[in-house]
Structures are given as C-alpha cells and as structure tokens.
Amino acid sequence: MADTVREIERKYEADDDIQLPDLTGVDPVASVAEQGAEALDALYYDTADQRLAADGITLRRRTGGRDAGWHLKLPVAPGVRDEVRAPLSDTPPAELTALVRSRVLDRELAPVVRLRTRRTVLVLHDASGAPLAEVAQDEVRAHRAGEAAEAGGEPAEVRWREIEVELAGGGGGGAGLLDEIGRALAAAGARPSSSASKLARALAETGQYPARPRKGGVEGSGKGAGKGSGKKSKKSKKTEKTEKGRTAGDVVLRYVREQVRTIVALDPGVRRDLPDAVHQMRVATRRLRSAFRSYTKVLDRAATQPIGVELKWLAAELGVDRDREVLTERLHGALAEVPRTLRLGPVAARLRIWSQRRRVGARKQVLAVLDGDRYLSLLKTLDALLEAPPLHRAAAGPAPEVVARAVLKDYRRLARRVEAALAAPAGQARDEALHGARKAAKRTRYAAEAARPALGRPAKKFAKRTKRLQQLLGDHQDSVVARGALRELATQAQRAGEGAFTFGLLYGREEALAADRERELPAVWAKVSRPKHRAALRP
C-alpha cells in the first residue's frame, strides 16, 4: 500500500568551501541536532522522451537512508510536492505507474539516471523540542543509467553539492521559516538552485536532452496539478489583453491545450481521491468537447467529432461519482435544515447508507475507467491531436472576427432553447426544456471563455452573465434529480416499515425551490440577452 508525504522544500547550490551557518540564530529555532551521514543510491525512471521530467515528475527506486523504497514525486505548487511511496521491488510498482499513466501512455519506463548521494541531515527544533525543519547537505554523484547510458555512451561522472531545506511533517514552521533559513544560507554563500530537482540537473549535466514541457503535457512547474487552471498570473492577464492580433487557430488551440493539460494533470488526483479532482476533470472534458463543437470553423469536425464522443463518454463515467457527491451534499444539507421534531424515523441513517452504497460502486467504476483501454486510447488520440492539429483555413484568420462569430452562434442556439423552456407547460416538459437550456448555456459560456484572449473584457463579462444563467438552470436540474432520489428513498423507507413523512417534506421543499428558480429565469435571461452585450462581442 502506497503512503503519501507532502514535501515543502527549497534547494540551494553550494560550493565545496561553504560552511553552514549557526541556524540557532533563526527564529524560532532553539536547537539543532545532527542525524549523521547517510549513503543514498537512487535510480530514476522515465520514458525515452522524458515525459515525466517534462511535467516536473520524478519516479525513483532508492536504497539507503530512512525511507528506502520507490518514490513518486508529483508537483502541487512551486516548492511543494506530494511524494507517494511504495516498498522496494525490482520493477516500478503498479500503484505508482498507474499515477503516471496519463503522462506515460503506453510507453516503457526505464532507468535514465543514477544518483549516489552522501547526505548529512540537521534537524531544527523549537524551544519545546518539536521539529521545525530538516536541512540536508548533499554531495551528489550522477551518471546515465540503463539504455540512456548505452545510447549516449558512459559519460564521466558529474558531481555537485547542494543544500535542501524541508519543513518537518510537511508544515513545520511555515514559509516564513524557510525564508529566514534561506537568508541565513545566502549570507553564507549559498544560491537558490537553478534546477527544479536533482534529476533535472543530472539530465542536463550528463549530456541528455533537457526535458521541456510538451504541447499536450503539463508545464514543468507542476501548476494545474491540483484543481485545474486556477488563477491567472499577472503576466497571463497582460498577455490576454495583447493577443487580439493573433490568429483564431492560436486562440482556440491555446484553450484546447489547457483542457488537455488539465485532464492529464488531474488523473493522479482522481485516482488518489483528492477533493474536487473528479469534478475538475469532468469540467475539463466538457470544456474540451464544447470547444470542438463551438469552433468547427477552426478545427476540422471530421477529426474532432469522434473525440467528442469519447469525451462525452468519459464525462458520463466521471459523473457517476460527481453526481452522487453533489446529490448527497444537497440532501444532507436539506435534512439539516429540517427541525428535529419533523425528522421522523431513521432518516439520517437511511440517507447515509444509501449514499455509501452508491459511493462504493461509483468509486470502483471510475478507477476501472481510468485503468481501461478506452481511456488510454482517448489520451493517445488527444496527444496526437495536439502534435498535428486538424486546422481549417479559417484558423489562419484574425482571431476576434472568427471567435466572435462562434460565440454569437452558440448564443442564438441558447436563445432558442430558453424561449422554448419559458413557453413549455409546467411539469416534465418544462423540466426537460430547462435542462436543454442549461446545456446550451454551458456551451455558450465555455465558448466565451475560450474567446477571452481575443475579445478581452466583453467576452469575460458575457461569460460571467451566462454562468449566472447556467447556475440558475443547474440548481433547477439538481432539484429535479433530488426529487427523484427522494422518491426512491421514500419507497425504500415504506418497504422497510419506516415512515416516509420526512422524505415527502424534503420533496415538497425541492418542488418549491424549483418553482422559485423558474420565476427568477426571465430576469436572469434578460441580462444575458441584451443586444448591447452581444454588440460588444463584435470586433
């Protein structure tokens, strides 16, 4: 069974004559204890084209030291990685190779570099004796390994010295302590490392082709490995404002690559059952499929339509777990608002058992999908798509004109569905029409988000208004699904001889909520459909 350790660390280059300063002068360090020297021998694995290194990931088999075994390091944020550990074995463990499958695809993992390190560790403690951080002085020797050595010839061994500072227990004294230690090391002559990891430096210094982010991969910094695209940096915001001169193909492919990167990066998180990973991965599949459908003038539909079918399948499979999670939270939240005097029978227990049964089945299904051949084939197809995008002639045209037409086309489709929903009779017909409008709102929103680098603030504002519409329609649809679940729970309770009163009460509340959303719809739609908002999208 693999264990996971959160690493928060900083690395420094150090010349041979540098002496560590007295770190007891760093607040709140009260004492320093030397752990003695360790001899570490690590063999690093990767594909021939360094797909792991390109994404800031390392996979190694290490002997010696306190944590001998297999280590897979997955980037979380700059200076932060999750190290997933497994016991020693002759070949990479299946529980670790599964976590890199979305990067490796069906390529072989083989040794690329061998690192032998003499490590001396100092443990920094506070006044109470609690460990704050570890400072490791490493004398490193590196050379090529396996087929990499055979292909390039055995180079001379390269050596260097570096210092690692890692917070104890993944937290310790916090980033402020790392800053203080860094200043003390800088005063002694140490420099922040120019390499993200020992492997990155070893690859460069042993003469192997340096790994660079792939078009379809995740950037080497590891950003996006947690919750998808995240917040945009100041640089990326500025870039958006200056991209109006780029082609439609540039803008659309940028968005497509972002979604593919997100799917690939979130795969390990879904397997590890990290919070929100399933949801974010499902959103990325929907955004990607939406881009294929919205921008048919840019990307050849003959090539993207079959991929869209597979993305729809993946989103549906991921949705089994995500929909269960959302529904469970909704029902538990609604039950918590019911006065205790109206909770008749073992309502909470029945709801908990019902939810747990669904979760176990959904979790197994998601893992089976990620381990299956169909999903692997989809990842390989997306990888190939980004290497040779199927662009139409319009892709070479000015981005603002091309993407604005695509957004407005999706808007017109949305308008037809909203008007049809408003005119539909109450009941199942209206529920289905509102659900169709919700899907159209989502597609329009995604199209506007993709167009933002070319259209700027108008696209941002339009996407925001459309998102509000989507959320209202989504809440209505969630109410429809919740009522179906409540009927099921009430039936189970009756068959077991329990009262169904509370489930009926919750059903009535969901009906009232759905009616509220239907009354709110015309006003929310009016904000989206104003002619001046559409006019602002036209370049």
Side-chain angles (χ1 to χ4, degrees):
M1 184 68 178
D3 297 319
T4 301
V5 177
R6 173 64 54 89
E7 285 188 344
I8 303 176
E9 64 180 15
R10 296 182 187 174
K11 297 178 181 291
Y12 299 87
E13 297 174 0
D15 297 331
D16 291 339
D17 58 349
I18 288 179
Q19 299 295 319
L20 277 183
D22 180 6
L23 295 175
T24 54
V26 174
D27 185 44
V29 178
S31 63
V32 177
E34 184 172 334
Q35 297 293 102
E38 300 175 333
L40 310 176
D41 192 342
L43 201 58
Y44 286 78
Y45 284 68
D46 207 336
T47 59
D49 55 352
Q50 299 178 14
R51 297 175 77 87
L52 297 185
D55 285 359
I57 295 172
T58 60
L59 174 63
R60 72 186 178 201
R61 181 186 188 276
R62 189 164 79 180
T63 56
R66 295 165 292 171
D67 60 350
W70 284 92
H71 304 155
L72 173 65
K73 297 194 177 188
L74 300 167
V76 176
V80 182
R81 295 188 291 183
D82 278 347
E83 182 177 280
V84 187
R85 299 174 177 176
L88 280 174
S89 59
D90 292 335
T91 57
E95 60 261 48
L96 299 190
T97 56
L99 295 177
V100 297
R101 192 185 192 219
S102 63
R103 271 89 171 192
V104 173
L105 303 178
D106 56 0
R107 290 165 173 78
E108 181 183 1
L109 287 167
V112 292
V113 166
R114 184 180 184 186
L115 293 181
R116 283 174 285 188
T117 304
R118 185 181 184 276
R119 167 170 289 181
T120 303
V121 178
L122 302 178
V123 181
L124 312 184
H125 298 90
D126 64 15
S128 69
L132 295 169
E134 292 187 358
V135 179
Q137 300 180 78
D138 291 341
E139 297 174 6
V140 186
R141 295 178 294 156
H143 62 77
R144 293 177 179 174
E147 293 181 5
E150 297 174 8
E154 186 69 25
E157 186 174 71
V158 294
R159 302 179 179 222
W160 69 86
R161 182 184 175 210
E162 70 178 42
I163 300 172
E164 289 186 3
V165 183
E166 181 179 346
L167 294 179
L177 176 60
L178 290 178
D179 292 339
E180 291 293 329
I181 296 173
R183 281 190 280 270
L185 293 176
R191 306 171 301 278
S193 178
S194 58
S195 299
S197 65
K198 285 184 176 66
L199 174 62
R201 181 165 183 173
L203 288 172
E205 297 204 11
T206 58
Q208 299 186 68
Y209 191 79
R212 289 181 288 183
R214 297 175 289 109
K215 290 182 179 180
V218 181
E219 309 238 349
S221 66
K223 294 179 181 179
K227 289 189 176 183
S229 56
K231 295 182 179 179
K232 296 181 181 294
S233 65
K234 291 182 179 179
K235 182 177 179 181
S236 64
K237 288 180 179 178
K238 182 178 180 181
T239 302
E240 282 189 351
K241 294 178 182 179
T242 60
E243 284 191 346
K244 292 187 178 181
R246 302 192 70 178
T247 68
D250 293 334
V251 172
V252 173
L253 284 177
R254 172 181 172 175
Y255 186 79
V256 167
R257 287 193 178 101
E258 180 182 346
Q259 306 318 314
V260 174
R261 283 198 300 266
T262 300
I263 293 170
V264 170
L266 285 169
D267 177 290
V270 173
R271 293 175 184 273
R272 295 167 60 199
D273 202 19
L274 296 185
D276 209 36
V278 169
H279 171 58
Q280 293 297 334
M281 188 174 183
R282 188 186 187 193
V283 168
T285 63
R286 286 176 163 176
R287 281 181 167 143
L288 184 55
R289 179 170 175 253
S290 180
F292 289 160
R293 300 173 73 189
S294 296
Y295 292 101
T296 55
K297 297 295 184 182
V298 176
L299 295 170
D300 185 0
R301 184 166 176 77
T304 61
Q305 195 274 338
I307 304 176
V309 171
E310 295 304 286
L311 289 169
K312 183 179 181 180
W313 159 78
L314 178 59
E317 295 291 352
L318 294 171
V320 172
D321 194 27
R322 173 59 182 171
D323 290 345
R324 177 210 57 79
E325 180 183 2
V326 171
L327 179 57
T328 299
E329 289 178 359
R330 187 182 186 97
L331 296 181
H332 276 294
L335 182 60
E337 295 177 0
V338 175
R340 289 187 178 274
T341 56
L342 299 180
R343 299 182 204 172
L344 306 183
V347 180
R350 177 160 294 283
L351 178 56
R352 184 169 57 254
I353 294 171
W354 174 84
S355 173
Q356 187 59 33
R357 286 175 178 171
R358 291 166 62 96
R359 170 170 171 70
V360 171
R363 178 75 184 147
K364 288 182 179 179
Q365 177 63 19
V366 167
L367 293 176
V369 166
L370 298 187
D371 288 335
D373 292 338
R374 185 173 180 178
Y375 173 65
L376 178 61
S377 177
L378 171 59
L379 292 177
K380 291 167 65 177
T381 301
L382 292 173
D383 199 60
L385 177 85
L386 295 184
E387 288 298 324
L391 297 175
H392 278 309
R393 182 178 301 177
E401 289 83 354
V402 176
V403 299
R405 284 197 293 269
V407 174
L408 292 173
K409 180 181 178 182
D410 280 346
Y411 164 79
R412 290 190 291 271
R413 178 173 172 270
L414 169 61
R416 291 192 297 270
R417 293 202 177 184
V418 171
E419 295 301 333
L422 290 172
Q428 183 177 353
R430 183 179 296 172
D431 290 344
E432 292 176 354
L434 289 171
H435 185 42
R438 175 195 176 215
K439 291 189 285 187
K442 187 178 298 185
R443 175 168 159 180
T444 305
R445 169 196 164 193
Y446 291 159
E449 288 176 347
R452 183 176 169 184
L455 302 179
R457 287 180 62 83
K460 177 182 178 181
K461 290 183 177 180
F462 188 75
K464 184 177 180 180
R465 295 186 184 97
T466 309
K467 180 180 179 180
R468 173 70 186 98
L469 173 66
Q470 174 197 328
Q471 290 173 332
L472 182 143
L473 295 171
D475 198 24
H476 184 278
Q477 176 62 17
D478 288 346
S479 176
V480 172
V481 175
R483 279 177 274 160
L486 289 166
R487 281 195 300 270
E488 179 184 340
L489 284 162
T491 301
Q492 292 176 1
Q494 285 183 325
R495 289 174 179 172
E498 303 164 3
F501 170 82
T502 304
F503 293 120
L505 177 64
L506 293 174
Y507 187 98
R509 291 190 174 191
E510 288 290 352
E511 269 192 326
L513 186 147
D516 288 343
R517 298 298 173 265
E518 291 177 21
R519 283 191 292 270
E520 294 170 15
L521 177 58
V524 174
W525 170 240
K527 293 181 179 180
V528 178
S529 60
R530 288 174 185 169
K532 67 176 184 179
H533 296 155
R534 301 196 300 280
L537 294 174
R538 296 186 176 92

